[in-house]
Structures are given as C-alpha cells and as structure tokens.
C-alpha cells in the first residue's frame, strides 16, 4: 500500500514536470480542449445571467415595460423600413460602383458573436470571450467592433471560442488618427477601468486609453473623435475608437499626452461583430490616396 | 471511483464559477480564486496524492481559462498545497477561521507569485506597484470570502456521498 502511494506520488511528480514544460504544440490543443469544454456552459451561464438581469430589471415596473414594448414596436417598424431602404441603397451603390468601373474588393462578412465571458480567468488581461472560433471562420488578429466603435482584436482562437484583447488592456496598441486634424498616434490601454473612468485602481490611478507622444504643436481639442488609421495592418481605417477627454503635456513637455473615452462601452459587451481579416496592402492598392488634413 | 467523480465535478464547477465571477475593477481586476480555494480544501482535508491531483488539474484549468502560460498556476497551487499540508494539524485545522485566513493568504500570495513568474518570463509588461498590491489585496479579500463557502460545499458533497470516511481526511468541516 505504501509502495503504491510512492508510485502515485512519483507519477504525479512526472506529470507535474510535464505540465510545467509543455511545448506550445501540446499546450495549445490542451488549452483549446479546456476552453471548448467549458464554452457551452459559459454561454449557458451568460444567457441565464442575462435573462435573470432582464427579469430583475422588469419586475415591479410593468407600466414602464408596456411603454417600452410600444416604443420598441414603433422602433422595430421604423428599423424595418430603414433596412428596406438600406437594401435599396446598397443595390444602388453596387450598380453605381460597377458603372464607375471600380474594382470593388470583396469585403467578406462580419460575424456576429455573443460575449460568453468577461475577463480572463485571473484578471491579468482585459479580455472577453466570444462564442465564435475557427469553425466560424475566425482567426487571430481580427478587429472586433460594436455599433459604437472598436472593441479590440481576436487572439487565442480555438474551434468554437476565441478571446478578444480589449482596447483597454495595457498590452493593446492601435494606430489611430484624429479625424479633425489628421494627426496620427498610437493608442495604448491603461489596464483597469474600461468605462472611461480616470481612476482605475485604488492605489494606482491610470487612464484607460491614452495616446502618448502626440505632437505638441498639433491642433487637438477635447471631444475630438479618434479613429483607426489603418496602419499596422490589423485594424481597417476609420473605425471609431474614442473621444478626447483630456490633453496635457508629458513630463518632458516635448509631447502631449491625450486621454480618450472609448466610443464602445467596454463594460457592457453582449454582442459584437468580428470583421474579416484586414489586408492593408490590398486596401491601399484598391483605394485612391487619402487627402491628409493640413497640420 | 466516486471520490474521483466528486473531485472532477468540483473542479469543473470551480472553473466555471471562476470564469463567471466578475473582477473587482477597483482592486486591480482581482478575480475570486475559486480553484485556489478548492485546492486548499483538498490540502487541508485529504492526502498528498489527492491534493497534488487537484493542484495540477486546477492549475491547468486556470491557465487554460486565461492567457497565462501553462504550468504557472500549477506550480503555485502545488507549492501552496504542500505548504498547507506541512503545517496541517499544527497551525491549520479544518475550521472557518483557517479557511478565511488561508483564502486571504493564498489569494494574495498566488497573485504575487504569478506576477513574478509573468515578469520573469517576459510575458507581461511590468505593472505599477500600487496596482499589483491592490490586485493582491483584492484576490486575498475575495479568497477570504469564497474559501469558507467552497470548503463547506465540498465537505457537504463528500458527506452526502459518504466519501469522508474513505478519504484521508482526519477532521470534518461543518460538523459530522
């Protein structure tokens, strides 16, 4: 019995060493298996929580619910009309593009996904998990957006799920430009509060989204819209990213530091769109050169 | 057989709960360390083999659910489990007070250890010291809250399945 115990301990020791030294070729499938295994339950739990959230919101306020229902009916009708008009405009657009002889790049289809979990298991990265993966045609490094603006990019894609590294993560870098002035910059995440709050931790207040090293002479104002520039080859150009909330000089006073409030509400993500992979080289070849604003 | 099934079920449940718990935004995005709480339960209530099995699998779960390199959490959970078992019966007993204390210390120490491992592997850009301290405190705080509940649930399940007598534990949490 004692020998058996030692044998089990020895086997566990070997397993321990194997786990710690797992090569990437083995670790990735293992990670994928665990994610795939838990993804349906995470999706189920996320839906259950959403339902519970809705029930709690609606209980005790039936009048508001009825008014809301009537308003939604009207809005639904209005949206249906707009969709019909939109389809008509799309057809016209295609016809005009053909007439102009422009070779239109096949844009592919954006994939709608549901957010099944927020943040990674340890809270080290700002991320969200989606219910789409390789089986839905997703890959690493695709832009993820909501109707309001850019959310982040995909990474760690497995068969039926993938993670999104949010804009607010400290490791996130996005090439952006100011719409009004055309000034370019690199946007970095602050790490903790994705809602645009200035204080992200009790002991370490950090801004959520920052453009460091903005030209000190550039014409920048608060509430300026910032969009993706398309440089870097990950994000297509002109996706709304955020609005300028504060501009200040850096410690050296050689550059300015710009804080942004994200356009998309990163704290309440439920459904997102994953854009097809952006081919910067092809897009640049297909489009006429953009006229940059005068500095 | 039933013991393994119960252990697997608890691990799955803990992994799912940990992924669903929202992080504490104001305390460094700290998340409730449910898997760590389960590992401490097996360290305090069962033998070394069961504890190491849970530590290895819980570590794999935790690393798979996040973007941590494989093995980081396994190392931390195994070290924590071995440390608890070495002092079991002297400092640590299967009581609520111990659960709160181990939950706090385990959550905070694991956060710091994983941060150091991340820095040593150059997988992570150095974060402000205040943020790391807040995160460690947050993980400890959540650990102190969640660990007694996890211990209670696990002990209740094992009692219902009549596993406590067959397992290596010497004391009963929450009364016999």
């Amino acid at each position: 019995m004692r020998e058996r115990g030692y044998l089990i301990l020895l086997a566990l020791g070997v397993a321990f060493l194997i786990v710690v030294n797992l090569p990437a070729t083995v670790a990735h499938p293992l990670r994928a298996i665990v994610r795939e295994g838990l993804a349906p339950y995470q999706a189920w739990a996320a839906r259950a929580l959403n339902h519970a959230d809705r029930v709690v919101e609606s209980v005790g306020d039936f009048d508001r619910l009825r008014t809301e229902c009537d308003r939604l009916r009207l809005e639904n009708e209005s949206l249906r009309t707009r969709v019909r008009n939109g389809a008509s405009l799309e057809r016209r657009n295609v016809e005009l593009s053909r007439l102009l002889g422009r070779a239109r790049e096949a844009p592919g289809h954006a994939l709608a996904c549901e957010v099944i979990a927020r943040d990674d298991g340890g809270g080290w990265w700002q991320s969200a998990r989606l219910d789409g993966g390789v089986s839905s045609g997703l890959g690493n490094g695709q832009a993820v957006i909501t109707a309001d603006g850019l959310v982040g990019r995909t990474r760690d894609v497995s068969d039926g799920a993938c993670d999104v590294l949010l804009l607010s993560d400290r490791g996130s870098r996005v090439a952006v430009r100011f719409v009004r002035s055309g000034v370019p910059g690199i946007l970095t995440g602050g790490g903790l509060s994705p809602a645009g709050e200035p204080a992200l931790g009790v002991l370490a207040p950090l801004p959520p989204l920052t453009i460091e090293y903005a030209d000190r002479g550039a014409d920048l104002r608060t509430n300026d819209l910032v969009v993706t520039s398309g440089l870097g080859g990950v994000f297509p150009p002109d996706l709304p990213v955020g609005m300028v909330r504060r501009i200040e000089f850096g410690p050296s006073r050689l550059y300015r530091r710009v804080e942004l409030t994200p356009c998309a509400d990163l704290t309440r993500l439920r459904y997102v769109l994953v854009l097809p992979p952006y081919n910067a080289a092809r897009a640049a070849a297909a489009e006429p050169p953009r006229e940059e604003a005068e500095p | 057989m039933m013991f393994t099934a119960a252990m697997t079920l608890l691990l799955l449940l803990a992994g799912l709960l940990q992924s669903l718990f929202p992080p504490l935004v104001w305390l460094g995005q700290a998340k409730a360390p449910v898997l760590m709480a389960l590992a401490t339960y097996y360290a305090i209530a069962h033998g070394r083999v069961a504890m190491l099995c849970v530590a290895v699998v819980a570590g794999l779960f935790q690393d798979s659910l996040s973007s941590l390199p494989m093995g980081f959490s396994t190392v931390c959970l195994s070290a924590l489990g071995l440390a608890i078992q070495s002092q079991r019966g002297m400092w640590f007993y299967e009581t609520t007070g111990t659960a709160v204390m181990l939950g706090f210390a385990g959550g905070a120490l694991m956060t710091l250890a994983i941060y150091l491992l991340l820095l040593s592997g150059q997988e992570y850009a150095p974060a402000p010291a205040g943020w790391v301290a807040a995160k460690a405190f947050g993980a400890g705080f959540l650990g102190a809250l969640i660990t007694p509940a996890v211990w209670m649930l696990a002990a209740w399940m094992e009692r219902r399945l009549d596993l406590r007598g067959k397992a290596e534990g010497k004391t009963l949490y929450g009364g016999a």
Side-chain angles (χ1 to χ4, degrees):
Chain A
M1 191 64 187
R2 197 174 171 81
E3 283 175 4
R4 190 165 163 267
Y6 281 125
L7 277 176
I8 292 173
L9 272 180
L10 188 67
L12 273 170
V14 172
F16 179 80
L17 287 174
I18 291 172
V19 165
V20 173
N21 293 296
L22 272 181
T25 48
V26 181
H28 185 71
L30 194 62
R31 197 186 285 271
I33 288 167
V34 173
R35 285 179 179 192
E36 296 298 320
L38 277 182
Y41 302 105
Q42 286 180 314
W44 174 83
R47 279 175 207 134
L49 285 175
N50 285 344
H51 281 302
D53 197 24
R54 279 198 288 271
V55 168
V56 169
E57 278 176 3
S58 60
V59 166
D61 198 357
F62 289 109
D63 277 346
R64 188 187 59 80
L65 211 59
R66 200 162 46 195
T67 315
E68 184 75 4
C69 191
D70 292 337
R71 191 186 64 78
L72 285 174
R73 275 203 195 98
L74 284 172
E75 191 176 324
N76 193 24
E77 274 308 303
S78 158
L79 287 173
R80 278 167 183 262
T81 311
R82 284 170 70 177
V83 166
R84 279 196 294 272
N85 292 343
S88 162
L89 285 172
E90 177 69 17
R91 277 196 300 276
R92 272 182 66 190
N93 187 22
V94 171
E95 284 168 12
L96 287 171
S97 295
R98 279 182 184 159
L99 281 174
L100 285 168
R102 277 185 63 186
R104 194 173 183 190
E105 188 181 14
H109 293 289
L111 181 74
C113 291
E114 187 178 359
V115 176
I116 57 173
R118 264 308 308 265
D119 297 289
D120 72 303
W124 291 101
W125 285 270
Q126 291 265 308
S127 63
R129 183 158 298 160
L130 309 183
D131 65 349
V134 175
S135 60
S136 314
L138 299 187
N140 275 323
Q142 288 180 232
V144 181
I145 62 169
T146 65
D148 298 320
L150 186 66
V151 169
R153 62 184 157 86
T154 57
R155 66 168 187 177
D156 290 340
V157 183
S158 53
D159 197 44
C162 71
D163 284 352
V164 180
L165 186 71
L166 300 181
L167 288 178
S168 50
D169 187 84
R170 287 191 307 113
S172 167
R173 300 282 184 279
V174 183
V176 294
R177 69 182 176 85
F178 292 82
V179 171
R180 196 177 51 77
S181 57
V183 174
I186 300 290
L187 182 80
T188 55
L192 302 176
S193 169
E197 299 292 333
L200 301 176
V202 171
L203 301 175
L206 291 172
L209 302 175
T210 314
I211 298 173
E212 304 280 357
Y213 312 120
D215 186 354
R216 60 175 290 169
D219 177 19
L220 306 177
R221 296 175 200 165
T222 51
N223 293 325
D224 270 0
L225 177 64
V226 174
V227 297
T228 52
S229 67
L231 298 173
V234 175
F235 301 104
D238 301 325
L239 297 174
V241 175
M243 307 287 282
V244 175
R245 57 172 289 171
R246 193 161 68 169
I247 305 167
E248 60 187 14
F249 278 103
S252 66
R253 301 191 70 80
L254 292 173
Y255 297 96
R256 280 192 292 178
R257 185 170 172 279
V258 182
E259 289 180 17
L260 304 184
T261 302
C263 287
D265 184 355
L266 303 180
T267 55
R268 290 188 179 80
L269 294 171
R270 283 191 181 172
Y271 298 98
V272 293
L273 282 176
V274 183
L275 300 184
Y278 173 60
N279 190 327
R282 279 179 66 189
E287 283 188 13
R290 181 197 302 277
E291 282 185 23
E292 292 290 340
E294 288 295 321
Chain B
M1 185 66 183
M2 191 59 87
F3 181 74
T4 313
M7 190 196 288
T8 310
L9 184 65
L10 284 170
L11 277 165
L12 279 171
L13 201 61
L16 189 61
L17 278 177
Q18 181 156 326
S19 72
L20 287 175
F21 268 122
L24 281 183
V25 173
W26 298 102
L27 285 174
Q29 293 287 117
K31 292 202 83 168
V34 189
L35 286 163
M36 186 277 299
L38 189 64
T40 57
Y41 171 75
Y42 276 87
I44 205 87
H46 294 288
R48 189 161 292 171
V49 174
M51 181 276 293
L52 284 175
C53 281
V54 168
V56 168
V57 179
L60 281 177
F61 255 52
Q62 185 154 308
D63 293 343
S64 299
L65 287 171
S66 74
S67 300
L68 289 170
M70 285 294 207
F72 276 26
S73 302
T74 299
V75 170
C76 296
L77 288 174
S78 303
L80 182 66
L82 289 170
I84 291 171
Q85 283 199 332
S86 71
Q87 299 299 317
R88 188 171 66 178
M90 286 182 279
W91 289 92
F92 304 140
Y93 297 91
E94 206 177 332
T95 61
T96 307
T98 308
V100 170
M101 190 187 68
L102 285 181
F104 185 85
L109 289 176
M110 255 196 77
T111 302
L112 292 175
I114 287 178
Y115 178 64
L116 291 177
L117 285 171
L118 280 171
L119 285 186
S120 69
Q122 296 180 338
E123 307 279 347
Y124 200 70
W131 182 79
V132 178
K135 187 176 177 65
F137 176 78
F141 175 69
L142 288 174
L145 286 182
I146 205 88
T147 305
V150 170
W151 283 25
M152 241 179 255
L153 175 73
W156 172 81
M157 184 188 246
E158 291 188 337
R159 276 202 306 276
R160 297 284 296 195
L161 295 171
D162 198 21
L163 294 172
R164 290 305 297 253
K166 295 168 192 169
E168 303 105 301
K170 295 189 176 91
T171 55
L172 287 175
Y173 184 72

